[in-house]
Amino acid sequence: MKLPHVLRWMTSFYLLTLVLLTTTGCADNIIVLDPKGPIAEQQRDLMLISTVLCCLVIVPVLFLTAFIVWRYRDRKGSTAKYTPNWEHSTRLEVIWWGIPIVIIGVLAVITVQATYALEPSKPLASDEKLITIQVTSLDWKWLFQYPEQGIATVNEVKFPKGVPVRFEITADSPMNSFWIPQLGGQMYAMSGMAMTLYLQAYEQGHYWGSGANFTGKDFAKMYFNVESTTQADFEQWVKGVKATSPELTLDGYQQLAKPAASDVRTFSAFPEGLFEMTVTKYASSHNHGLSWKDIQKIQVKE
């Protein structure tokens, strides 16, 4: 039995798509579907549930479209019933309006619940003491400051597994978006604002982080290394940074903030209040016309 032309075309298209996905390695690179933390895991589940619910409508419609095209095509000897004056069926109306309405209602309830549960500034429940990491988006690099440990890094962030991380995020450049796909969704980094994002890693591992907004010439290089380690390895890494890395001075930060890509760098210390100064330096009502040294003096007094 020969397949109709339309069905043969659709079958070939789907097979070609499957081959392209598998041969290009896309199946292994969908890292948002391979979560390594509680936030990313819940977001993954929400995406899968939403996809399944949508497919309950989309898949039957696609199959019915192909069936109708094949069944009612113009051909000799067709036995399809011809009813040119037919215009209404209560049963069909209830089916094709009722089912989508129910699905949308279920999807709305699930989405609202997940939205409140995944509020990014909501602390994660844990017996472990959280760690704070201050994130500054620069052109075209990421600066990470550890206020409790007194160290800073560029394009590299480390933290212990199982420990909630409080990311405080700002920008000293055009707005960007801070994103570690396997740990959680994106959070905007904006000048003059400090956003809060709580994340956690279940296990040790190396992950990929990136800026998700277009910010100019080298935005494609604006990615960073993420590593979840044991508590002992993290403490050893902090000691190593303190012992072998130079300090980040205020003048050094001004040079670092200039538009340019950067490799991984580490600093054994950074100016006190640097993150707060970055957040407030563009606030015209507070800092208009002041130099960096003036801003630093204000921060110290406050």
Side-chain angles (χ1 to χ4, degrees), residues 32 39 43 118 120 169 176-181 183-189 195-197 199 210-213:
V32 293
I39 300 300
Q43 292 174 341
L118 294 171
I169 305 168
N176 212 308
S177 185
F178 177 80
W179 189 28
I180 307 175
L183 298 185
Q186 303 174 36
M187 174 59 68
Y188 282 120
M195 311 298 288
T196 301
L197 175 66
L199 296 177
S210 173
N213 276 29

Side-chain angles (χ1 to χ4, degrees), residues 9-27:
W9 184 89
M10 292 180 64
T11 302
S12 300
F13 174 77
Y14 291 138
L15 288 175
L16 178 61
T17 302
L18 180 61
V19 170
L20 287 174
L21 288 174
T22 54
T23 57
T24 57
C26 291

Side-chain angles (χ1 to χ4, degrees), residues 16-242:
L16 178 61
T17 302
L18 180 61
V19 170
L20 287 174
L21 288 174
T22 54
T23 57
T24 57
C26 291
D28 296 328
N29 293 327
I30 310 178
I31 55 179
V32 293
L33 299 181
D34 183 25
K36 300 299 182 181
I39 300 300
E41 188 174 66
Q42 294 179 68
Q43 292 174 341
R44 189 263 328 258
D45 293 343
L46 178 60
M47 287 189 291
L48 293 179
I49 292 172
S50 301
T51 301
V52 170
L53 290 174
C54 290
C55 284
L56 293 178
V57 174
I58 296 173
V59 172
V61 168
L62 292 176
F63 277 105
L64 283 173
T65 300
F67 172 76
I68 290 171
V69 170
W70 172 77
R71 181 75 174 83
Y72 295 97
R73 71 194 187 281
D74 185 16
R75 63 187 177 92
K76 293 181 178 181
S78 175
T79 59
K81 188 177 181 181
Y82 178 63
T83 54
N85 297 321
W86 178 83
E87 62 181 19
H88 178 73
S89 171
T90 301
R91 180 181 300 175
L92 291 177
E93 291 282 355
V94 170
I95 292 174
W96 63 50
W97 284 107
I99 294 177
I101 289 173
V102 171
I103 291 175
I104 290 173
V106 173
L107 187 59
V109 172
I110 294 173
T111 302
V112 169
Q113 291 177 341
T115 299
Y116 280 97
L118 294 171
E119 163 59 38
S121 61
K122 181 180 178 181
L124 299 176
S126 176
D127 296 331
E128 301 287 343
K129 181 183 177 182
L130 67 83
I131 178 175
T132 298
I133 301 177
Q134 297 169 331
V135 184
T136 303
S137 171
L138 302 171
D139 278 337
W140 289 279
K141 62 194 79 72
W142 293 93
L143 173 66
F144 298 95
Q145 301 171 60
Y146 293 73
E148 296 165 355
Q149 288 74 26
I151 64 171
T153 63
V154 174
N155 290 342
E156 180 182 52
V157 58
K158 292 188 181 185
F159 44 80
K161 68 172 184 177
V163 174
V165 182
R166 173 188 168 94
F167 288 101
E168 298 176 351
I169 305 168
T170 192
D172 194 1
S173 63
M175 182 178 75
N176 212 308
S177 185
F178 177 80
W179 189 28
I180 307 175
Q182 288 184 279
L183 298 185
Q186 303 174 36
M187 174 59 68
Y188 282 120
M190 295 177 280
S191 59
M193 298 184 66
M195 311 298 288
T196 301
L197 175 66
Y198 284 89
L199 296 177
Q200 181 180 340
Y202 280 145
E203 58 190 57
Q204 291 179 241
H206 293 267
Y207 310 117
W208 177 77
S210 173
N213 276 29
F214 177 80
T215 56
K217 180 175 69 73
D218 286 332
F219 84 99
K221 299 179 181 179
M222 201 166 173
Y223 54 86
F224 53 93
N225 302 322
V226 184
E227 184 177 359
S228 173
T229 69
T230 64
Q231 183 67 44
D233 288 343
F234 175 73
E235 293 174 357
Q236 187 64 33
W237 173 73
V238 172
K239 291 179 180 178
V241 171
K242 284 183 171 292

Side-chain angles (χ1 to χ4, degrees), residues 216-284:
K217 180 175 69 73
D218 286 332
F219 84 99
K221 299 179 181 179
M222 201 166 173
Y223 54 86
F224 53 93
N225 302 322
V226 184
E227 184 177 359
S228 173
T229 69
T230 64
Q231 183 67 44
D233 288 343
F234 175 73
E235 293 174 357
Q236 187 64 33
W237 173 73
V238 172
K239 291 179 180 178
V241 171
K242 284 183 171 292
T244 61
S245 302
E247 293 186 11
L248 177 63
T249 63
L250 198 57
D251 290 336
Y253 174 77
Q254 290 179 286
Q255 293 297 317
L256 186 66
K258 293 181 179 180
S262 175
D263 295 327
V264 173
R265 300 175 62 182
T266 57
F267 301 96
S268 59
F270 57 86
E272 184 178 356
L274 178 61
F275 182 80
E276 291 76 13
M277 284 188 284
T278 304
V279 173
T280 60
K281 73 183 243 185
Y282 293 109
S284 59

